[in-house]
Amino acid sequence: MLSLPILIKLLLLHSLALVCTAQSFGFFYLVQQPRLLLSHNRDFGIHGLWPNNDDGTYPSNCNPNEQFDPSQISNLLSQMQTEWGSLSCPSSNDTSFWEHEWDKHGTCSGLNEEAYFSAALTLKNQSNLLQTLTQAGITPNGSYTLSNVQSAIASGIGHTPYIQCNSDQSGNKQLFEVYLCVDTSASNFIDCPVFPTEGPCPSSIAFPSF
């Protein structure tokens, strides 16, 4: 049996190892985009849950020793396939997409694999973006002011989102992704310390059909 001093040393070494691999950060972005899900329901699906710093930088690929293990999320598989499917068209392998998200972002989250993916799914359903927008009269295949879209979501979750736009085939700007900010416990929505700079939107945008 190990003596108490040796056990204490081992615990200290383990704690130091955790400190070395863990990365500090300021908040998460929960990123969602409207699309046709595997269930054939039209809804917002998850792109990712991304640790970010308050200065706009972000950690990535924090621990190569924490390899993605699909067995760790077997209890979430059905929900993952429905709400966090691959973004590629035609759809690529979902598992490869989840592996990428875990390797790049999840290993920096301070959460284990199951907790990381479970937190994103819970937050996605708490935000309920499509219902929130629909209740405000903002529905797919329409054009709206950016401020009205932001206000509708802010009324639903209590915090202003960042809306990222891209262009349709005619060059018109349309809603592409919604960024919501989350505290470092991945439990609560918060005011965004900083907004992204990618894909800024004009004052009027389309909500594309999907």
Side-chain angles (χ1 to χ4, degrees):
M1 181 178 293
L2 294 175
S3 65
L4 184 59
I6 293 176
L7 283 172
I8 292 173
K9 288 180 180 179
L10 289 173
L11 288 171
L12 286 173
L13 288 172
H14 179 67
S15 297
L16 286 172
L18 290 176
V19 169
C20 289
T21 56
Q23 299 289 317
S24 61
F25 61 97
F27 66 99
F28 288 98
Y29 283 131
L30 175 70
V31 186
Q32 302 175 69
Q33 63 177 234
R35 62 181 187 269
L36 183 63
L37 303 178
L38 181 67
S39 60
H40 302 294
N41 290 329
R42 288 169 169 79
D43 198 358
F44 281 78
I46 299 171
H47 184 173
L49 182 64
W50 303 340
N52 274 260
N53 300 315
D54 292 353
D55 63 0
T57 62
Y58 61 91
S60 64
N61 301 97
C62 294
N63 189 355
N65 295 319
E66 289 189 65
Q67 296 294 313
F68 179 71
D69 179 2
S71 69
Q72 296 299 309
I73 56 170
S74 58
N75 61 315
L76 303 174
L77 188 59
S78 176
Q79 190 177 4
M80 293 277 291
Q81 289 173 331
T82 300
E83 301 180 14
W84 199 337
S86 170
L87 300 178
S88 299
C89 291
S91 181
S92 64
N93 184 277
D94 288 342
T95 303
S96 297
F97 179 45
W98 301 332
E99 180 177 14
H100 165 78
E101 290 298 309
W102 170 253
D103 290 346
K104 184 175 182 179
H105 304 289
T107 57
C108 304
S109 67
L111 303 171
N112 64 41
E113 187 178 318
E114 192 276 338
Y116 171 74
F117 286 103
S118 180
L121 291 167
T122 298
L123 289 163
K124 184 263 184 193
N125 286 298
Q126 286 177 353
S127 64
N128 204 356
L129 289 179
L130 187 60
Q131 179 176 310
T132 297
L133 290 169
T134 299
Q135 289 176 341
I138 297 172
T139 57
N141 204 28
S143 294
Y144 308 93
T145 64
L146 175 63
S147 60
N148 282 350
V149 174
Q150 290 174 313
S151 296
I153 296 173
S155 295
I157 68 165
H159 304 280
T160 301
Y162 177 75
I163 308 298
Q164 181 180 352
C165 285
N166 64 2
S167 299
D168 63 18
Q169 293 180 340
S170 300
N172 301 309
K173 292 296 185 179
Q174 61 183 3
L175 186 155
F176 176 53
E177 291 190 317
V178 176
Y179 288 66
L180 303 173
C181 290
V182 180
D183 65 13
T184 54
S185 71
S187 302
N188 305 293
F189 293 111
I190 60 172
D191 290 336
C192 287
V194 62
F195 283 131
T197 57
E198 298 87 355
C201 298
S203 59
S204 181
I205 61 173
F207 186 0
S209 58
F210 58 100

